[in-house]
């Protein structure tokens, strides 16, 4: 097989992905050149801003996909650098001795050569910026282009060092969790130097506080301003763009766009902004659940159903018109679905709100927790929300429902998520089959069914071995993969 120079096997999946991305880049570049020529001949010199050419929207979509490919190239380069073996110069080693400190000292630092012209993140930013301009006021292209531009800005900010500590490593969170448990049970050890060191530290802190107070009284601050974080400006711009795209996606009822914007915000906020992160996580899961159950309802309903026809009309208007919300047909169909008396109950029940937790928290008892688990692009996210006792509001102010939030994230492949879902579905199928067999076995005079046995009283019972084995296997898989995700959420 193929190997590195150091003798370790290469990850051929990285090479395959690089080749596939290169093919996509070549196709999109050719499509971009053709669309630009068509736009050059079709667009007049002075085009009113309210007019959107179809070729312009197509070119915006092409540039947005080009930006996405460039960002995937940047991610691939990071994976390639992480897969390369570390080079440590040879030095004398002693059996039975720990040489980790020496290895860390003599290890050569990895130097990443700067890009000659532009990095992949900068190329993605350039293409996404052009996509936003070309999208114009068209709802769906504008929404997708802004989301793509925000992703490029976040990628550029992270390449400059921003957001490194947004999500602590799993082992750090588990160590902190088990450390608290151990320290709670461990006997107290008194250090004779602890009092002296603490007193000296308090004295230094008091002296520094007095010096700061004197400097503030003189109008001069003794504390130097902290330097700006590299990439923070790009991250702020990305967050603003994502919130604009999220508003458009909620107005258009585009579940995929809502989830995409929310997951980008969740990834950027992390544990530093747990309250907002948990709310966007709940909104992303709500939008995906709404799309799933709405599709399930439409597939189980006759095609000539009045409400199904109205939903088909709304889908057609979104695909045909630039601003479907401004059409009278859209307003009429939406009002018919939302009607309290003659509207669609399923449509109203699956209504999407900007903050699902805001409606849920006031209904929760104080001892209840709401856990949200969701997966997206190789990561599994979890959040927990708990209501807290409300404090008395001051006169003239509205009383808000306080809550406590915690969030967590672990890296998990798509194959692992699929295997967990398959195990859960298999368990549900076995339970349903066992319930049916038990019901039939309880009917007097029924012939024995395969997999059943008679008790001393003549009542048939279903063998539980298969169900029990499936349940044990499911619990083992969930404990293995979800424990690192859920343990940091415990109080």
């Amino acid at each position: 097989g193929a190997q590195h120079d150091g003798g370790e096997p290469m990850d051929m999946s990285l090479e395959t992905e690089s080749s596939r991305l290169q093919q996509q880049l070549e196709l999109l570049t050719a499509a971009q050149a053709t669309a630009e020529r068509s736009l050059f001949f079709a667009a007049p010199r002075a085009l009113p801003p309210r007019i959107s050419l179809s070729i312009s929207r197509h070119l915006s979509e092409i540039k947005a996909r080009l930006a996405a490919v460039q960002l995937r190239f940047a991610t691939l380069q990071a994976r390639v650098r992480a897969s390369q073996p570390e080079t440590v110069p040879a030095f004398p080693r002693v059996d039975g001795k720990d040489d980790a400190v020496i290895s860390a000292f003599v290890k050569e630092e990895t130097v990443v050569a700067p890009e000659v012209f532009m990095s992949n993140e900068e190329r993605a930013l350039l293409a996404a910026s052009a996509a936003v301009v070309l999208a114009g006021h068209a709802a769906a292209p504008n929404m997708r282009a802004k989301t793509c531009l925000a992703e490029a800005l976040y990628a550029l900010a992270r390449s400059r060092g921003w957001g490194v500590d947004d999500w602590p490593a799993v082992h750090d969170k588990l160590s902190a969790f088990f450390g608290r448990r151990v320290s709670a049970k461990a006997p107290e050890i008194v250090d004779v130097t602890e009092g002296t060191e603490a007193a000296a530290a308090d004295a230094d802190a008091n002296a520094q506080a007095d010096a700061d107070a004197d400097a503030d009284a003189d109008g001069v601050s003794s504390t130097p301003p902290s330097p700006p974080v590299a990439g923070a400006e790009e991250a702020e711009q990305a967050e603003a763009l994502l919130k604009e795209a999220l508003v458009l996606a909620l107005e258009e009822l585009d579940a995929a766009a809502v989830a995409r914007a929310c997951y980008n915000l969740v990834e950027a906020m992390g544990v530093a902004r747990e309250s907002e992160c948990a709310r966007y996580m709940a909104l992303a899961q709500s939008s995906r659940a709404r799309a799933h159950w709405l599709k399930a309802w439409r597939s189980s309903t006759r095609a000539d159903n009045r409400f199904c026809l109205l939903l088909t009309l709304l889908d057609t208007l979104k695909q045909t018109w630039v601003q479907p919300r401004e059409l009278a047909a859209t307003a009429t169909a939406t009002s018919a679905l939302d009607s309290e008396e003659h509207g669609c109950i399923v449509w109203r029940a699956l209504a999407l709100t900007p903050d699902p937790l805001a409606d849920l928290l006031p209904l929760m008892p104080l001892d209840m927790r709401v856990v949200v688990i969701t997966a997206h692009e190789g990561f599994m996210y979890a959040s927990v929300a708990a209501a807290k006792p409300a404090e008395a509001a001051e006169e003239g102010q509205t009383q808000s429902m306080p809550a406590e939030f915690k969030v967590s994230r672990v890296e998990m492949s798509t194959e692992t998520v699929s295997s967990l879902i398959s195990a859960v579905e298999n368990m549900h199928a076995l339970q349903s089959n066992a319930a049916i067999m038990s019901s039939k076995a309880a009917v007097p005079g029924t012939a024995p069914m395969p997999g059943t046995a008679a008790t001393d009283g003549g009542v048939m019972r279903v063998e539980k071995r298969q169900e029990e084995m499936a349940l044990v296997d499911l619990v083992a898989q969930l404990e293995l993969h979800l424990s690192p995700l859920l343990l940091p959420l415990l109080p």
Side-chain angles (χ1 to χ4, degrees), residues 38-394:
S38 301
L39 181 62
F40 175 78
F41 290 112
R45 291 182 178 272
L47 186 67
R50 294 292 299 174
I51 296 179
S52 177
L53 299 177
S54 61
I55 185 61
S56 177
R57 298 193 297 273
H58 286 308
L59 182 57
S60 173
E61 183 69 23
I62 292 172
K63 287 187 175 293
R65 294 188 180 186
L66 269 172
V69 171
Q70 293 290 353
L71 292 179
R72 291 174 63 185
F73 261 121
T75 304
L76 180 63
Q77 287 184 352
R79 290 173 56 193
V80 169
R81 288 194 295 266
S83 65
Q84 292 177 352
E86 297 180 351
T87 57
V88 179
F91 61 91
R93 302 174 185 268
V94 179
D95 293 338
K97 300 294 183 179
D98 186 9
D99 55 2
V101 177
I102 301 177
S103 299
F105 178 76
V106 301
K107 182 177 66 175
E108 299 178 357
E109 296 184 1
T110 303
V111 179
V112 180
E115 298 287 344
V116 179
F117 297 104
M118 287 193 300
S119 63
N120 289 315
E121 293 86 356
E122 291 170 340
R123 293 190 184 97
L125 181 63
L126 184 62
S129 301
V132 173
V133 175
L134 291 167
H137 71 288
N142 191 12
M143 175 177 57
R144 289 191 291 265
K146 285 184 176 179
T147 304
C148 191
L149 178 57
E151 292 172 349
L153 285 168
Y154 271 138
L156 184 61
R158 292 188 178 97
S159 68
R160 295 176 177 176
W162 175 87
V164 177
D165 300 327
D166 286 344
W167 295 95
V170 175
H171 58 81
D172 294 339
K173 294 186 289 186
L174 294 179
S175 299
F177 170 78
F178 288 114
R180 290 197 304 269
R181 290 291 188 264
V182 172
S183 61
K185 299 180 181 179
E188 184 178 359
I189 301 176
V190 180
D191 189 354
V192 295
T193 62
E194 182 178 359
T196 307
E197 294 177 355
D202 292 340
D204 294 340
N206 293 332
Q208 182 64 33
D210 295 338
D212 294 342
D214 296 338
D216 293 338
D218 297 337
V220 179
S221 177
S222 61
T223 304
S226 58
V229 180
E233 183 178 356
E234 289 82 1
E236 293 178 0
Q237 296 175 5
E239 182 175 339
L241 283 169
L242 280 177
K243 290 181 178 179
E244 293 178 8
L246 183 57
V247 172
L248 289 174
L250 289 171
E251 292 176 353
E252 296 291 331
L253 296 178
D254 190 333
V258 170
R260 181 180 174 185
C262 287
Y263 282 122
N264 277 293
L265 290 170
V266 165
E267 184 67 22
M269 291 176 178
V271 297
R273 300 163 63 180
E274 288 185 313
S275 174
E276 296 175 85
C277 183
R279 293 180 187 276
Y280 284 118
M281 199 182 300
L283 179 56
Q285 188 70 356
S286 298
S287 65
R288 295 169 69 174
R290 178 185 183 274
H292 170 78
W293 291 115
L294 196 60
K295 181 180 179 181
W297 173 74
R298 294 178 68 175
S299 63
S300 61
T301 309
R302 292 178 54 179
D304 58 352
N305 180 275
R306 171 172 172 258
F307 300 123
C308 282
L309 293 175
L310 289 174
L311 291 177
T312 304
L313 174 62
L314 290 177
D315 293 340
T316 304
L317 293 176
K318 289 179 183 179
Q319 297 171 5
T320 307
W321 295 88
V322 177
Q323 288 284 357
R325 296 192 313 274
E326 298 181 1
L327 298 175
T330 302
T332 304
T334 305
S335 61
L337 290 168
D338 291 334
S339 175
E340 292 287 343
E341 298 181 359
H342 308 289
C344 181
I345 299 176
V346 177
W347 174 268
R348 295 199 307 270
L350 295 176
L352 191 61
T353 59
D355 190 358
L357 291 180
D359 301 330
L360 180 62
L361 288 174
L363 307 176
M364 290 171 48
L366 296 180
D367 57 348
M368 180 179 289
R369 303 289 188 272
V370 175
V371 179
V372 176
I373 302 177
T374 182
H376 180 68
E377 293 186 354
F379 289 99
M380 183 77 82
Y381 300 90
S383 67
V384 60
K388 297 194 301 183
E391 300 178 357
E394 299 181 1

Side-chain angles (χ1 to χ4, degrees), residues 7-49:
E8 296 195 8
M10 292 177 59
D11 189 356
M12 298 303 296
S13 63
L14 298 178
E15 184 177 352
T16 304
E17 184 176 357
S18 176
S19 176
R20 182 159 43 85
L21 289 177
Q22 187 63 38
Q23 293 177 1
Q24 295 179 10
L25 184 63
E26 293 175 357
L27 291 174
L28 289 172
T29 303
Q32 175 184 237
T34 303
E36 286 176 345
R37 287 196 300 268
S38 301
L39 181 62
F40 175 78
F41 290 112
R45 291 182 178 272
L47 186 67

